[in-house]
Amino acid sequence: MSDRKATLHVEGMDPIELPIYSGTTGPDVIDVRTLVSQGLFTYDPGFVSTASCESKITYIDGDKGVLLHRGYPIEQLADESSYLETCYLLIYGELPTAEQLAEFEASVTMKTMVHEQLVNLFRGFRRDAHPMAIMCGAVGSLSAFYHDTMDIADEAHREESALRLIGKMPTLAAMSYKYSVGQPFMYPRNDLTYSENFLHMMFGTPCEESQIDPVLAKAMDKIFMLHADHEQNASTSTVRLAGSSGANPFACIASGIAALWGPAHGGANEAVLDMLEEIGDVSNIDKFVAKAKDKNDPFRLMGFGHRVYKNFDPRAKVMRKTCDEVLDLLGIEDDPLLQIAKRLEQIALEDEYFIQRKLYPNVDFYSGIILKAIGIPTSMFTVIFAMARTVGWIAHWHEMHSGPYRIGRPRQLYTGETARDYPKK
Ligand code: CMC
């Protein structure tokens, strides 16, 4: 916080003094909360310049391509840490000791099984339902199964719900896939790591022991970690907004899943693959790049650009490396979609339109390619993003409930009809 003040001059009004606060790093913020008492609102569609809350969890410097979780750079976490250790860090604020980590991993593992009645909920969906549609319903329904820990004012309840959500998301995600392909649901296995367990529940069958490639499990773990949190994006803000009304954690996370689904946000990884398939051949790339640049055409290059990163997406750098490792391991060199992706990346990085607008490949460009190589069906890509982001959502929800907060209630610039009389009959 600082003593600096901003003075707002509005024609016909006395100057209005507004306090300025400084965080530990990043842009200062002007506190506009008193403006309402002067009959004024601020106007910021898309929240481009608005800080909606104070937070200590994640910091992004979009111009420098920096992403820190509790101060630790994402590149270092990706090299040294694991997804579950990052989960601990996001929720509790510090890296765990070896003992704390073992205890945390054991607690999550013990919560991976879901209530058997949930099987009946799944059976109510059409087999061709999109797994994200199933996830919105299944995660929301957890509040009907685990209502013993829904006192949001009780820290122990909040912690238990957090662990339940982190533990059960891979199980529900894999169930949504198994249901769509008509295979039996696989129970989680306590002897496996978090990512191994997910691959087991996705690809295993009761007919034989799952064979899990440790390199693929490691790549999955990295994908989870790189998606774990990203400060106040659309889905996290949705979770905070839902949470600000006092809604239960499962309902809040379901609202985050819904917000994530759109192609401008988490749905982009699926949209990247759809786009590569639509392009179909390297010879068509120029046509699609021209479409992306045409202002009269709504088409955009999926997996390019970011609201905050205007230099590069640091997650994309790590993901690109993982992508090369996985493709190398699997011996995938000649895959036609991969050829299109590589050429597209090259063209876009050299094209003036993309350079001028600072549109770089984002995390979803590479994650889609890795997931496809691992054999994950495209419709599951956003589900995997949701699984991994659950910890970020829950960390923000928990942070909000750990201090004073008010219900989120944005205002508007009303441009509709003013009061008029209903016509007499
Ligand atoms: N292809 C072509 N042009 C683009 C693209 C794109 N992917 N992204 C932005 N532009 C253009 C846009 O038309 C505008 O041009 P102009 O200034 O001439 O009007 C300029 O770049 C700025 O774009 P914007 O829409 O004002 O930027 P935004 O911050 O509102 O949107 C975005 C950010 C991520 C929604 C957008 O870049 C986009 O739609 N990208 C494709 C979808 C995608 O990959 N999303 C995943 C984001 S990373 C995962 C996550 O965190 O959710």
Side-chain angles (χ1 to χ4, degrees):
M1 307 288 163
S2 85
D3 295 333
R4 282 201 304 148
K5 291 207 183 325
T7 308
L8 180 66
H9 296 275
V10 182
E11 231 177 83
M13 293 175 81
D14 291 337
I16 303 168
E17 286 216 325
L18 301 167
I20 298 181
Y21 307 137
S22 301
T24 44
T25 181
D28 291 347
V29 300
I30 302 173
D31 182 346
V32 295
R33 281 177 292 181
T34 54
L35 286 183
V36 66
S37 62
Q38 313 266 354
L40 291 169
F41 296 152
T42 54
Y43 183 59
D44 183 19
F47 307 117
V48 180
S49 303
T50 296
S52 62
C53 62
E54 183 187 328
S55 182
K56 293 181 168 57
I57 301 174
T58 291
Y59 173 73
I60 300 174
D61 183 332
D63 293 326
K64 295 199 184 113
V66 170
L67 169 60
L68 310 176
H69 290 321
R70 302 285 190 182
Y72 295 103
I74 190 67
E75 296 84 352
Q76 289 180 24
L77 291 171
D79 277 349
E80 308 288 338
S81 184
S82 66
Y83 176 66
L84 282 187
E85 189 184 53
T86 305
C87 289
Y88 185 101
L89 175 69
L90 289 168
I91 294 174
Y92 299 106
E94 293 297 337
L95 286 168
T97 61
E99 217 176 25
Q100 286 168 328
L101 179 60
E103 201 184 308
F104 181 73
E105 286 173 342
S107 309
V108 170
T109 302
M110 293 315 285
K111 290 177 174 49
T112 48
M113 215 156 73
V114 295
H115 197 293
E116 198 63 18
Q117 268 306 97
L118 266 158
V119 170
N120 295 328
L121 183 96
F122 275 78
R123 295 207 192 291
F125 287 99
R126 281 169 57 135
R127 292 273 175 192
D128 62 356
H130 193 288
M132 277 299 274
I134 299 183
M135 289 303 280
C136 290
V139 174
S141 82
L142 292 181
S143 45
F145 291 96
Y146 303 102
H147 34 73
D148 53 329
T149 56
M150 289 201 314
D151 178 359
I152 56 170
D154 183 330
E155 193 173 345
H157 278 211
R158 292 204 301 273
E159 188 174 356
E160 180 67 10
S161 296
L163 292 173
R164 277 180 167 161
L165 276 155
I166 297 168
K168 293 182 199 315
M169 281 300 277
T171 314
L172 294 174
M175 284 173 84
S176 71
Y177 169 62
K178 286 296 197 193
Y179 185 72
S180 71
V181 288
Q183 287 185 8
F185 298 131
M186 294 297 288
Y187 286 106
R189 267 177 46 190
N190 290 356
D191 61 323
L192 298 177
T193 65
Y194 193 79
S195 46
E196 286 171 348
N197 199 24
F198 174 65
L199 291 174
H200 148 72
M201 290 187 287
M202 277 289 293
F203 298 118
T205 68
C207 312
E208 56 189 5
E209 183 90 345
S210 308
Q211 299 297 324
I212 296 142
D213 189 320
V215 179
L216 297 188
K218 219 174 138 204
M220 277 315 301
D221 197 77
K222 213 163 267 187
I223 290 179
F224 295 157
M225 188 199 288
L226 292 172
H227 285 94
D229 189 41
H230 216 225
E231 53 115 309
Q232 314 308 325
N233 52 78
S235 56
T236 305
S237 299
T238 302
V239 170
R240 277 190 182 258
L241 200 53
S244 77
S245 74
N248 74 68
F250 306 107
C252 293
I253 300 305
S255 74
I257 295 174
L260 186 79
W261 195 355
H265 193 7
N269 51 14
E270 182 177 343
V272 168
L273 260 284
D274 291 345
M275 176 190 74
L276 294 178
E277 265 158 19
E278 198 189 341
I279 295 175
D281 191 88
V282 175
S283 62
N284 293 328
I285 292 180
D286 287 347
K287 198 172 78 195
F288 280 87
V289 170
K291 264 164 79 64
K293 288 156 54 173
D294 181 355
K295 287 289 146 222
N296 299 316
D297 191 323
F299 176 78
R300 283 187 167 200
L301 281 192
M302 287 293 134
F304 284 81
H306 198 274
R307 165 60 63 80
V308 182
Y309 294 122
K310 299 300 174 195
N311 182 325
F312 60 88
D313 180 342
R315 303 167 301 171
K317 269 198 171 173
V318 180
M319 202 65 99
R320 192 185 200 284
K321 204 167 132 230
T322 309
C323 187
D324 288 343
E325 282 163 16
V326 170
L327 297 175
D328 202 38
L329 173 89
L330 297 174
I332 303 176
E333 274 297 308
D334 305 328
D335 183 82
L337 290 191
L338 182 64
Q339 299 301 329
I340 298 171
K342 282 192 166 164
R343 185 78 191 116
L344 187 63
E345 177 196 27
Q346 194 187 358
I347 291 180
L349 287 174
E350 290 165 359
D351 191 296
E352 206 36 48
Y353 173 95
F354 291 89
I355 295 171
Q356 244 182 27
R357 288 168 182 75
K358 302 183 175 173
L359 301 169
Y360 295 88
N362 57 48
V363 68
D364 285 336
F365 187 70
Y366 301 108
S367 67
I369 298 170
I370 305 179
L371 292 172
K372 177 172 188 293
I374 294 178
I376 308 269
T378 321
S379 61
M380 283 297 290
F381 288 7
T382 313
V383 172
I384 287 170
F385 192 157
M387 248 178 79
R389 182 56 58 83
T390 293
V391 68
W393 292 329
I394 207 79
H396 283 271
W397 174 83
H398 182 57
E399 181 181 67
M400 187 180 77
H401 284 292
S402 304
Y405 65 93
R406 298 180 77 179
I407 186 167
R409 177 52 170 98
R411 300 303 188 116
Q412 64 174 3
L413 170 65
Y414 178 71
T415 52
E417 298 290 346
T418 54
R420 51 180 168 167
D421 289 326
Y422 185 81
K424 294 240 182 304
K425 291 206 173 109

